[in-house]
Amino acid sequence: MKIVTIIGTRPQFIKAATVSRKLKDFNDMKEIIVHTGQHYDDNMSDIFFKELEIPQPDYYLGIGSGSHGVQTAHMLEKIEDVLIKEKPDVVLIYGDTNSTLAGTLAASKLQIPVAHVEAGLRSFNRKMPEEINRIVADHVSDLLFAPTKVAVNNLINEGIAEDRIYYVGDVMFDAAIFYGEKAGQQSKILETLDLKPKEYILSTIHRAYNTDIPERLKTIFNALCKIGKDITIVMPLHPRTKAALLREGLYEKVSEKLKIIEPVGYLDMVKLEKNAKLIITDSGGVQKEAFFYKVLCVTLREETEWVELVDLGWNYLVPPDCEKFIEESIRKVLNAPHGLDAEPYGDGKAAEKIVKVLRKYLL
């Protein structure tokens, strides 16, 4: 049995690592890894393969940046060539990126079954490119691996046949368990940055929704700079965000008020997350990782795919349109109690369940 796994971004590397590890347990399952190159910075790509112990990709497509249409089109063309050559039994896709969309379309048009890990998530905001990618991937895929029961219900409500849907839990929870201890032992990022546990805020901002609209970008970073006067805010700066700050003439000011660092490897990121007093983000994956490590989170968006974290009191949605409201909300959450104890993301064996379903489907 041959599986082609298509990945291109850091969150996808993490998710794929958990499943790849389980696939290795079976000699009759061969995995071909295709890296689209959607994240092309060394710190955002190569180091992740090393730390997560993922085999080097069999194919590196080197797509790089571009508009959504250009990037997806180039991926579609090159992925199709790989699939024609390899003739896999199934194509495995992850999440909601342009790599996900391109892999889905290329496989489906070649009549190759598609399996979608992290199916059924919905923000119900179609202005987000990720939402369109999720919807298309789910409605085209043959096997849908849902991380939560909410995701299962979303798929059923959209008319997707229940025999295609599998509630397996979240592979990111698998990763948090496996790599959390490893990060504690190996990462020295706190010492390097001269940080003390629970005495800093960790922030990541990267979504086009927040970086590509100048007024929203200014609103977010003006609020963060005010908070940064009272508590250290550490920000591993995404290339898109750095470019946006430079474009708007904000980079120098932000660099003075916040502790700006280069993107970090996965183990360093885990160490920063586990020891933060608060996390501020617009990332779906970071919202969950905050919960896994029992750290409160402020999400600078109007909605989230991970609604259960809001319901449980671990995640606070803050629309990023008013500087004063953002600042006041962050200060309030800094003093808020922890959320409720719960296990909405399964038992940490999602990857094992995914491989079990794949074997049953393919054999």
Side-chain angles (χ1 to χ4, degrees):
M1 294 177 289
K2 184 186 290 185
I3 296 171
V4 165
T5 293
I6 296 173
I7 50 180
T9 66
R10 294 205 305 177
Q12 290 175 328
F13 306 153
I14 301 165
K15 296 165 193 172
T18 63
V19 177
S20 295
R21 195 178 307 113
K22 296 300 178 182
L23 287 172
K24 291 176 186 176
D25 293 339
F26 300 93
N27 293 328
D28 59 348
M29 301 189 80
K30 181 180 181 182
E31 183 182 29
I32 304 294
I33 297 177
V34 178
H35 179 0
T36 65
Q38 186 169 336
H39 275 176
Y40 49 91
D41 179 271
D42 180 64
N43 277 339
M44 302 189 76
S45 181
D46 291 349
I47 190 172
F48 265 52
F49 281 85
K50 297 171 187 174
E51 290 188 340
L52 298 172
E53 300 175 1
I54 307 174
Q56 283 299 308
D58 299 275
Y59 294 90
Y60 178 73
L61 305 185
I63 300 300
S65 62
S67 68
H68 287 288
V70 169
Q71 190 180 62
T72 305
H74 288 167
M75 289 178 186
L76 183 58
E77 179 183 17
K78 292 192 175 185
I79 291 171
E80 183 180 64
D81 289 341
V82 172
L83 297 182
I84 290 172
K85 178 181 177 181
E86 293 292 345
K87 298 180 175 59
D89 298 292
V90 68
V91 169
L92 196 56
I93 56 169
Y94 291 82
D96 55 18
T97 69
N98 288 340
S99 299
T100 306
L101 177 63
T104 302
L105 294 175
S108 63
K109 289 180 180 293
L110 292 171
Q111 298 184 350
I112 300 169
V114 178
H116 186 195
V117 176
E118 207 175 72
L121 300 184
R122 296 292 182 270
S123 67
F124 301 101
N125 178 2
R126 293 202 177 193
K127 293 180 181 179
M128 294 176 61
E130 295 88 353
E131 185 78 353
I132 303 302
N133 293 347
R134 294 179 196 124
I135 293 170
V136 173
D138 284 340
H139 283 265
V140 170
S141 294
D142 301 271
L143 299 173
L144 296 103
F145 297 116
T148 67
K149 292 181 180 178
V150 171
V152 171
N153 290 333
N154 287 339
L155 295 170
I156 293 172
N157 290 338
E158 291 179 10
I160 293 175
E162 292 188 39
D163 62 357
R164 292 162 54 195
I165 304 168
Y166 297 86
Y167 168 56
V168 295
D170 194 333
V171 292
M172 290 292 284
F173 186 34
D174 295 24
I177 294 171
F178 186 83
Y179 293 107
E181 184 176 349
K182 193 174 182 181
Q185 296 171 348
Q186 296 186 18
S187 173
K188 303 299 181 184
I189 190 71
L190 297 189
E191 294 85 345
T192 299
L193 298 178
D194 193 24
L195 298 171
K196 294 181 180 180
K198 305 304 176 184
E199 293 187 7
Y200 65 91
I201 293 172
L202 175 66
S203 180
T204 70
I205 303 295
H206 78 281
R207 288 188 181 271
Y209 176 80
N210 285 331
T211 62
D212 292 1
I213 299 174
E215 284 307 312
R216 189 171 290 139
L217 182 80
K218 292 175 184 177
T219 296
I220 290 171
F221 279 91
N222 283 340
L224 291 179
C225 286
K226 288 182 177 180
I227 298 292
K229 294 177 182 178
D230 302 318
I231 183 172
T232 299
I233 298 180
V234 180
M235 178 172 284
L237 198 60
H238 190 286
R240 176 194 289 142
T241 312
K242 182 176 182 178
L245 291 172
L246 289 168
R247 183 180 66 240
E248 300 302 324
L250 294 172
Y251 183 76
E252 185 174 343
K253 172 189 174 181
V254 169
S255 297
E256 291 175 355
K257 303 295 184 182
L258 310 183
K259 197 177 189 72
I260 298 297
I261 62 174
E262 292 295 316
V264 295
Y266 182 54
L267 297 182
D268 283 343
M269 188 63 178
V270 168
K271 187 72 170 283
L272 287 170
E273 289 171 339
K274 291 181 70 173
N275 289 280
K277 182 175 178 61
L278 174 71
I279 291 175
I280 303 170
T281 190
D282 58 7
S283 161
V286 174
Q287 292 173 47
K288 286 187 299 173
E289 287 169 342
F291 169 72
F292 296 151
Y293 301 126
K294 304 304 178 189
V295 177
L296 290 177
C297 183
V298 169
T299 296
L300 295 178
R301 286 166 49 185
E302 294 181 352
E303 74 292 304
T304 179
E305 317 80 297
W306 306 105
V307 293
E308 51 281 334
L309 297 184
V310 177
D311 295 339
L312 291 168
W314 286 100
N315 190 13
Y316 291 79
L317 288 177
V318 178
D321 298 316
C322 174
E323 180 182 322
K324 184 178 180 181
F325 183 67
I326 293 173
E327 181 187 356
E328 290 177 348
S329 297
I330 292 170
R331 293 190 187 280
K332 183 177 179 180
V333 178
L334 272 169
N335 297 308
H338 279 186
L340 301 174
D341 288 333
E343 295 182 349
Y345 300 115
D347 57 5
K349 297 182 179 179
E352 183 179 322
K353 294 172 184 176
I354 288 169
V355 172
K356 184 177 180 180
V357 172
L358 286 173
R359 287 185 62 79
K360 184 177 181 181
Y361 181 80
L362 294 173
L363 288 175

